[in-house]
């Protein structure tokens, strides 16, 4: 669901040549998609939509490692299916856009509808840092929203606020690379486009960019979790039953 909203928004902006929305529409599409995806899967799996965050939860001990393969496979299958769905939905528009030529780069490129590619001015290192930092912001936002020891979001608001975090990342950090921030969001559609007519250029473009949206979000998620632990979580102890302040016992009068 999350990918369908996001990819369809990107398709409408690109194929409509700006007449049916701008970049804001893409950001809103992914934000709304994340919100609905969390509502749909939150009660079943905890709404694991992002392989980088799933891996981080395994390392932190919040999720058993034995569940990781099933979660990641589910994420990848869902993302691949979403790409195929949008390809079918907009096939006529895709064919009409460039007379049936599916291109990865250039003024009539359409591969960027499905996966992320760096802007022409962005170096591989700069793109890696962009994805790394954007994912740091993502995991920090998620941890803040769900931390019951801190100022957690009210029950029922977590999904919408997480969607707003994704929207904020897109609004402020999307120009360089398109903010993949999720291996599950980027690789399966890339594989689909390679099969569906764009060819192996989807892996060669951007100085073999394809591996960056796989590795940078994982490292960014781990770094963001570490930052949160060091600067917030370790200093935010729960209120003791016999205390009136965090970590400070009540002094009894004698």
């Amino acid at each position: 669901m999350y990918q369908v909203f996001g990819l369809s928004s990107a398709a409408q902006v690109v194929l409509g040549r700006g007449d049916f929305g701008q970049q804001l529409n893409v950001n809103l599409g992914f934000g709304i998609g994340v919100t609905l995806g969390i509502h749909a899967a939150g009660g079943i799996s905890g709404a694991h939509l992002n392989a980088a965050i799933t891996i981080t939860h395994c390392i932190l001990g919040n999720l058993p490692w034995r569940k990781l393969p099933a979660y990641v496979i589910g994420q990848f299958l869902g993302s691949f299916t979403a790409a195929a769905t949008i390809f079918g939905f907009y096939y006529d528009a895709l064919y009409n856009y460039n007379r049936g030529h599916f291109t990865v780069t250039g003024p009539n490129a359409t591969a960027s509808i499905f996966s992320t590619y760096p802007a022409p001015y962005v170096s591989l290192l700069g793109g890696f840092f962009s994805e790394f930092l954007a994912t740091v912001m993502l995991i920090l936002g998620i941890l803040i929203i769900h931390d019951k020891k801190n100022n957690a979001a009210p029950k029922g608001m977590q999904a919408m606020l997480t969607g707003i975090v994704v929207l904020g990342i897109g609004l402020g950090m999307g120009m360089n690379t398109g903010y993949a921030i999720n291996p599950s969001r980027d690789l399966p559609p890339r594989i689909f486009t390679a099969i569906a007519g764009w060819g192996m250029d989807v892996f060669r473009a951007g100085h073999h960019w394809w591996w960056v949206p796989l590795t940078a979000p994982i490292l960014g998620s781990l770094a963001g979790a570490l930052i949160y632990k060091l600067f917030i979580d370790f200093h935010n102890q729960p209120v003791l039953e016999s205390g009136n302040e965090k970590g400070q016992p009540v002094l009894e009068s004698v």
Side-chain angles (χ1 to χ4, degrees):
M1 179 181 291
Y2 132 65
Q3 284 278 66
V4 169
F5 275 90
L7 297 184
S8 62
S9 299
Q12 183 163 288
V13 170
V14 172
L15 300 177
R17 300 184 186 274
D19 292 334
F20 294 90
Q22 301 295 329
Q23 185 62 27
L24 176 60
N25 296 65
V26 180
N27 298 330
L28 287 170
F30 275 106
I32 293 170
V34 166
T35 299
L36 293 177
I38 293 172
H39 275 298
I44 299 172
S45 67
H48 282 257
L49 309 177
N50 187 329
I53 293 177
T54 301
I55 291 170
T56 299
H57 279 302
C58 288
I59 292 174
L60 293 176
N62 299 330
L63 183 72
W65 282 99
R66 59 184 170 79
K67 292 187 177 182
L68 178 64
Y71 277 34
V72 172
I73 290 171
Q75 292 163 8
F76 274 53
L77 288 176
S79 185
F80 187 92
T81 302
T85 300
I86 298 308
F87 177 79
F89 187 85
Y90 276 117
Y91 179 78
D92 291 338
L94 280 163
Y95 194 88
N96 179 70
Y97 184 79
N98 196 21
R99 298 180 181 178
H101 298 292
F102 297 161
T103 56
V104 179
T105 58
N108 291 319
T110 50
S112 60
I113 291 171
F114 299 92
S115 296
T116 63
Y117 295 86
Y121 60 84
V122 175
S123 66
L124 202 60
L125 180 60
F128 190 97
F129 180 69
S130 294
E131 287 294 327
F132 176 88
L133 184 59
T135 313
V136 168
M137 295 297 103
L138 174 65
I139 189 68
L140 285 175
I142 290 172
L143 292 174
I144 290 168
I145 289 167
H146 290 86
D147 190 355
K148 294 181 180 179
K149 293 188 299 181
N150 199 3
N151 189 22
K155 186 176 180 180
M157 292 291 292
Q158 295 94 336
M160 185 182 72
L161 290 174
T162 304
I164 291 174
V165 170
V166 173
L167 172 62
I169 291 171
L171 290 174
M173 310 179 87
M175 186 172 73
N176 285 345
T177 64
Y179 72 107
I181 59 175
N182 180 358
S184 309
R185 171 261 181 276
D186 195 83
L187 182 60
R190 194 178 300 274
I191 294 172
F192 174 81
T193 51
I195 297 170
W198 283 265
M200 295 305 293
D201 280 349
V202 300
F203 294 101
R204 291 189 286 261
H207 304 288
H208 299 275
W209 166 258
W210 69 271
W211 65 271
V212 175
L214 290 182
T215 56
I218 294 173
L219 295 176
S221 181
L222 292 172
L226 178 61
I227 291 169
Y228 193 82
K229 287 285 185 182
L230 290 177
F231 292 98
I232 297 179
D233 191 49
F234 289 159
H235 305 282
N236 193 28
Q237 299 301 319
V239 178
L240 300 177
E241 290 184 4
S242 60
N244 58 355
E245 291 186 12
K246 292 184 178 180
Q248 302 203 4
V250 174
L251 298 177
E252 296 182 357
S253 300
V254 293

